[in-house]
């Protein structure tokens, strides 16, 4: 080298910069006419809060695509029978609210801004337990034992992380804390303390990512948080509708409902999605997409939608680390209230997790609704959902008769959630398996080309929860906004450099 004159160097630099600029600018229209700057795939809490975040930052050129006829996703309520009470088939609680400082919780605070929401803090001490012979067994339940063990589990989690030791399952930590399941009563408590929240047994749950659960420690006084049960007849979805209020454009032009995403075609330059609505195919292209579909949907390319080209190995690996837990909710309405005047009724079955918990909705729903909410999880939930509904009702009535006697009648109305078989969800929410690390969540949310991944599962601290989806939506929108501003500043800088070079050359 050393043979080029300064002027020649400048001309070379100019040409290189010119080429780079032309390439940066010309790569944009390669994708054809863009329908929006950002496509938001899915209108659950994550998608709607992503849209809100973009909107509030002045980015209004987005289009939300949703397969269902309404927004809310896994926040969804329905009448138990025509004209009956409206019950939540998906999320029901705002978890981790401090009653002395409720607005420290983003969702509770949102609810207040949205005109309030009807609900009550659940009192888990308001419970009575029966075994399968109808005997009240409350005195046999070792609540103190499991509470002590739980405290030790949290201690083990903190100590192991501080020491840089490897993660273990919650079950292993429970065993180290001398909690063993030796009776039906123990099995009931074991289910109540873990499966009721995670929808899978502690045998399958990561210690580090579940204990102590950030949901219960991050909002307000960590040792004072409770769960707020929503019974508002406008539904939990009222919160999602409130976030969406005013951002969907004239006649909701920024929202396409009943539109199924079939193929996501991605590249480093843009994203196009092939959609179907009423059997009519239409493609939408944008500079960016935010996908909020559940882990179950991402795992089942054949059933629901697929990527073109296939997602890279690293992305598939993190998607496949998780699974969709199964939390099944049922509601049954009876001619009268024959059960105890408590919030919860525990059923200490001979089979762990068999109709373990009833919630007396009659205490919370509007007057005259003799409704019980029933929860099951995991394999039992799946068996119950897949069989004929009348067989499930039959099993339910047998359990209630074993507790309350042969006078228990058939329910006058019955409804159950179908998230597990619904192709747009394929389960209730993401689990917290052994082996996940902070990096897993970072990789799960990381973009592939111009597709950003969002939704409840991508929330490092609150995966599985509504507020996890809320923060995930906000964070992915912010990541897209950052990428847009970097793109804009790269082009702007290149142009600036070009002008400087031209100026130097000319004078
Ligand atoms: C039974 C149950 C109980 C729960 N209880 C609680 C609770 O008490 N408290 C709590 O905090 N959390 C609870 N959760 C979890 C909470 O509901 C979820 O974490 C949260 O609502 C997920 O929001 P999201 O936006 O990430 O996903 P989603 O709500 O699943 O939104 C994704 C959207 O994408 C759409 N979609 C999927 N595929 C396609 C496609 N191909 N084309 C177009 N659209 C598509 C779906 O229809 C959906 O609307 C519960 C969940 C369930 C199922
Ligand atoms: C639930 O809350 C409402 C209103 O705050 C209150 O009137 C009602 O008594 C509460 N119900 C229970 C069972 O605590
Ligand atoms: C568990 O039991 C063992 C043996 O009795 C005892 O040494 C240990 O301290 C106990 N651990 C806890 C956390 O109670
Ligand atoms: C627990 O994990 C194992 C192995 O991953 C799996 O086979 C099993 O189905 C899981 N059990 C439940 C109840 O989720
Ligand atoms: C936090 O809550 C606990 C339990 O209710 C209480 O004992 C403690 O005083 C509270 N701490 C603060 C700082 O309010
Ligand atoms: C919005 O819908 C109303 C009623 O259907 C219609 O009259 C109006 O023209 C629509 N506005 C736009 C901008 O499409
Ligand atoms: C359940 O039973 C009712 C009445 O016995 C009957 O009308 C209904 O068709 C049955 N439902 C199913 C899914 O079999
Ligand atoms: C069943 O109902 C009848 C009539 O109401 C009543 O006499 C009887 O005591 C009830 N039986 C039980 C087990 O509650
Ligand atoms: C993982 O992230 C949480 C907060 O999101 C943090 O408290 C924790 O220290 C992190 N763990 C590691 C090993 O970095």
């Amino acid at each position: 080298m050393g043979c080029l004159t300064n002027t020649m160097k400048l001309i070379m630099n100019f040409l290189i910069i010119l080429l780079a600029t032309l390439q940066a600018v010309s790569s944009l229209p390669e994708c054809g006419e863009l329908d929006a700057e950002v496509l938001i795939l899915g209108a659950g809490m994550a998608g709607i809060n992503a849209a809100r975040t973009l909107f509030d930052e002045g980015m209004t050129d987005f289009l939300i695509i949703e397969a269902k006829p309404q927004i809310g996703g896994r926040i969804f309520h329905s009448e138990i029978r025509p004209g009956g009470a409206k019950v939540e088939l998906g999320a029901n609680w705002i978890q981790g609210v401090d009653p002395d400082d409720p607005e420290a919780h983003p969702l509770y605070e949102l609810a207040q801004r949205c005109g309030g929401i009807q609900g009550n803090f659940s009192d888990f001490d308001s419970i009575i337990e029966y075994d399968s012979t109808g005997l009240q067994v409350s005195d046999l339940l070792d609540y103190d034992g499991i509470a002590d063990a739980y405290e030790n589990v949290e201690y083990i989690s903190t100590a192991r992380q501080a020491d840089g030791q490897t993660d273990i399952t919650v079950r292993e930590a429970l065993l180290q804390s001398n909690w063993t399941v030796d009776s039906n009563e123990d099995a009931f408590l074991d289910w109540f303390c873990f499966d009721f929240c995670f929808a899978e047994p502690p045998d399958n749950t990561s210690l580090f990512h579940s204990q102590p659960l950030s949901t219960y420690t991050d909002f307000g006084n960590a040792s004072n948080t409770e769960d707020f049960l929503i019974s508002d007849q406008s539904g939990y979805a009222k919160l999602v509708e409130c976030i969406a209020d005013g951002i969907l454009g004239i006649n909701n032009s920024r929202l396409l409902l009943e539109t199924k995403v079939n193929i996501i075609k991605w590249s480093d330059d843009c994203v196009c999605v092939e959609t179907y609505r009423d059997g009519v195919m239409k493609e939408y292209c944008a500079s960016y997409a935010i996908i909020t579909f559940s882990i179950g949907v991402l795992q089942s390319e054949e059933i629901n939608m697929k990527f073109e080209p296939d997602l890279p190995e690293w992305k598939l690996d993190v998607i496949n680390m998780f699974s969709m837990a199964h939390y099944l909710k049922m509601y049954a309405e009876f001619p009268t209230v024959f059960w105890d005047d408590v919030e919860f009724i525990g059923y200490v079955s001979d089979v762990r997790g068999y109709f373990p918990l009833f919630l007396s909705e009659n205490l919370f729903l509007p007057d005259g609704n003799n409704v019980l909410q029933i929860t099951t999880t995991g394999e039992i939930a799946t068996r119950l959902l897949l069989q004929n509904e009348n067989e499930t009702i039959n099993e339910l009535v047998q359990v209630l008769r074993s507790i309350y006697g042969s006078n228990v009648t058939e329910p006058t109305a019955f409804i159950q959630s179908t998230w597990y078989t619904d192709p747009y969800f394929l389960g209730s929410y993401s689990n917290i398996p052994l082996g996940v690390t902070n990096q897993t969540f970072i990789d799960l949310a990381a973009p592939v080309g111009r597709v950003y991944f969002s939704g409840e599962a991508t929330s490092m601290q609150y995966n599985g929860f509504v507020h996890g989806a809320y923060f995930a939506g906000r964070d992915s929108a912010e990541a897209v906004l950052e990428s847009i501003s970097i793109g804009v500043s790269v082009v702007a800088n290149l142009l600036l450099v070009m002008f400087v070079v031209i100026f130097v050359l000319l004078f």
Side-chain angles (χ1 to χ4, degrees):
M1 301 297 252
C3 46
L4 289 177
T5 67
N6 277 345
T7 311
M8 282 172 75
K9 275 188 197 161
L10 275 174
I11 292 172
M12 287 277 292
N13 282 342
F14 171 75
L15 288 175
I16 289 168
I17 291 165
L18 182 68
L19 279 174
T21 309
L22 286 176
Q23 199 186 350
V25 174
S26 70
S27 66
L28 296 176
E30 243 177 42
C31 311
E33 189 97 355
L34 299 184
D35 298 278
E37 181 67 2
V38 185
L39 295 177
I40 297 175
L41 310 180
M45 180 54 100
I48 293 297
N49 204 35
R52 164 56 69 183
T53 306
L54 293 179
F55 188 90
D56 286 349
E57 296 286 328
M59 222 303 278
T60 57
D61 188 17
F62 58 81
L63 186 61
I64 308 170
I65 304 181
E66 167 60 52
K68 296 282 179 185
Q70 73 284 322
I71 67 171
R74 280 173 271 170
I75 301 175
F76 179 71
H77 64 141
S78 183
E79 287 175 347
I80 190 168
R81 59 175 160 76
K86 297 195 186 84
V87 292
E88 299 294 339
L89 291 173
N92 214 153
W93 280 276
I94 302 179
Q95 263 101 356
V97 181
D98 175 358
D100 297 330
D101 185 13
E103 302 199 10
H105 195 296
L107 296 181
Y108 195 92
E109 192 268 333
L110 174 70
Q112 301 322 301
R113 272 191 284 134
C114 297
I117 197 157
Q118 181 59 47
N120 297 77
F121 286 100
S122 285
D123 179 1
F124 293 102
D125 293 330
S126 175
I127 184 168
I128 190 164
E129 300 89 349
Y130 295 95
D131 73 8
S132 59
T133 67
L135 198 68
Q136 193 194 329
V137 292
S138 305
D139 290 349
L140 301 178
L141 288 158
D142 188 10
Y143 278 101
D144 289 342
I146 200 159
D148 288 349
Y150 193 86
E151 215 168 282
N152 197 58
V153 162
E154 292 188 351
Y155 168 78
I156 294 176
S157 177
T158 311
R160 285 186 76 94
Q161 289 186 68
D163 290 354
Q165 288 180 270
T166 53
D167 197 4
I168 54 177
T169 64
V170 173
R171 174 65 74 212
E172 276 177 82
L174 280 168
L175 289 172
Q176 286 176 25
S177 308
N178 295 340
W179 173 258
T180 53
V181 176
D182 299 322
S183 63
N184 294 341
E185 285 78 13
D186 291 349
F188 168 79
L189 287 180
D190 204 64
W191 182 92
F192 191 31
C193 292
F194 299 101
D195 304 40
F196 183 42
C197 179
F198 300 118
E200 62 172 10
D203 309 60
N204 284 32
T205 306
S206 149
L207 177 68
F208 289 178
H209 277 275
S210 66
Q211 305 296 327
L213 199 63
S214 316
T215 284
Y216 291 96
T217 56
D218 280 7
F219 313 114
N221 176 348
S223 42
N224 200 39
T225 53
E226 295 183 24
D227 296 334
F228 187 77
L229 178 77
I230 289 172
S231 52
D232 199 301
Q233 292 297 288
S234 305
Y236 203 140
K238 181 180 177 183
L239 296 191
V240 186
E241 284 151 16
C242 173
I243 297 174
D245 191 31
I247 67 169
L248 298 178
I250 296 163
N251 293 350
N252 286 351
S253 58
R254 296 193 188 104
L255 173 67
L256 297 173
L257 293 173
E258 295 179 87
T259 306
K260 175 183 188 271
V261 173
N262 238 34
I263 305 177
I264 300 178
K265 299 170 188 168
W266 60 278
S267 74
D268 289 337
D269 303 320
C270 62
V271 186
C272 293
V273 299
E274 183 186 296
T275 69
Y276 280 88
R277 186 189 180 149
D278 291 336
V280 179
M281 197 275 270
K282 187 164 180 353
E283 192 165 86
Y284 295 92
C285 294
S287 302
Y288 295 88
I290 296 173
I291 178 167
T292 69
F293 302 165
S294 77
I295 277 284
V297 169
L298 294 180
Q299 285 174 344
S300 68
E301 296 218 323
E302 294 315 306
I303 302 179
N304 189 321
M305 42 70 64
K306 63 177 180 182
F307 289 86
E308 261 180 30
D310 285 343
L311 289 174
E313 264 333 290
W314 66 265
K315 180 60 103 179
L316 290 172
D317 285 349
V318 282
I319 289 173
N320 288 325
M321 269 188 81
F322 293 88
S323 54
M324 284 297 269
H326 189 189
Y327 183 108
L328 174 65
K329 297 176 78 165
M330 303 172 193
Y331 291 87
E333 186 179 48
F334 295 89
T336 57
V337 172
F338 54 81
W339 53 91
D340 296 271
D341 187 26
V342 289
E343 292 189 21
F344 296 92
I345 296 138
Y347 181 58
V348 178
S349 162
D350 301 336
V351 177
R352 185 183 185 282
Y354 185 68
F355 289 96
L357 199 67
F358 300 85
L359 191 163
S360 305
E361 286 283 8
N362 55 299
L363 298 178
F364 306 106
L365 292 174
D367 290 344
N369 293 288
N370 311 322
V371 174
L372 275 177
Q373 181 192 132
I374 305 106
T375 307
T376 58
T377 58
E379 285 156 21
I380 292 180
T382 304
R383 177 182 71 76
L384 292 173
L385 181 62
L386 294 181
Q387 74 183 359
N388 183 310
E389 194 172 280
N390 284 343
E391 287 172 39
T392 300
I393 295 172
N394 198 29
E395 288 187 48
L396 166 67
V397 169
Q398 294 314 313
V399 168
L400 288 172
R401 283 186 183 150
S402 76
I403 301 173
Y404 290 107
S406 53
N407 279 6
V408 171
T409 60
E410 297 272 322
T412 46
F414 179 87
I415 191 171
Q416 63 185 344
S417 62
T418 55
W419 307 105
Y420 181 82
T421 47
D422 188 323
Y424 297 111
F425 303 96
L426 296 166
S428 53
Y429 42 85
S430 63
N431 70 340
I432 316 179
L434 186 62
V436 298
T437 64
N438 284 1
Q439 191 61 40
T440 310
F441 292 97
I442 293 168
D443 290 345
L444 193 61
V448 167
R450 291 233 177 154
V451 182
Y452 285 69
F453 287 71
S454 188
E456 118 331 84
T458 65
S459 169
M460 185 186 295
Q461 284 157 293
Y462 318 112
N463 80 312
F465 293 95
V466 171
H467 46 285
Y470 176 85
F471 286 121
R474 182 199 65 185
D475 293 349
S476 52
E478 277 172 358
V480 165
L481 286 168
E482 195 171 320
S483 178
I484 292 174
S485 74
I486 289 172
V488 167
S489 69
V490 165
V491 172
N493 282 339
L494 283 172
L495 288 173
L496 185 69
V497 169
M498 260 179 63
F499 284 124
V500 169
V501 169
I502 290 168
F503 185 82
V504 167
L505 282 175
L506 287 179
F507 303 99

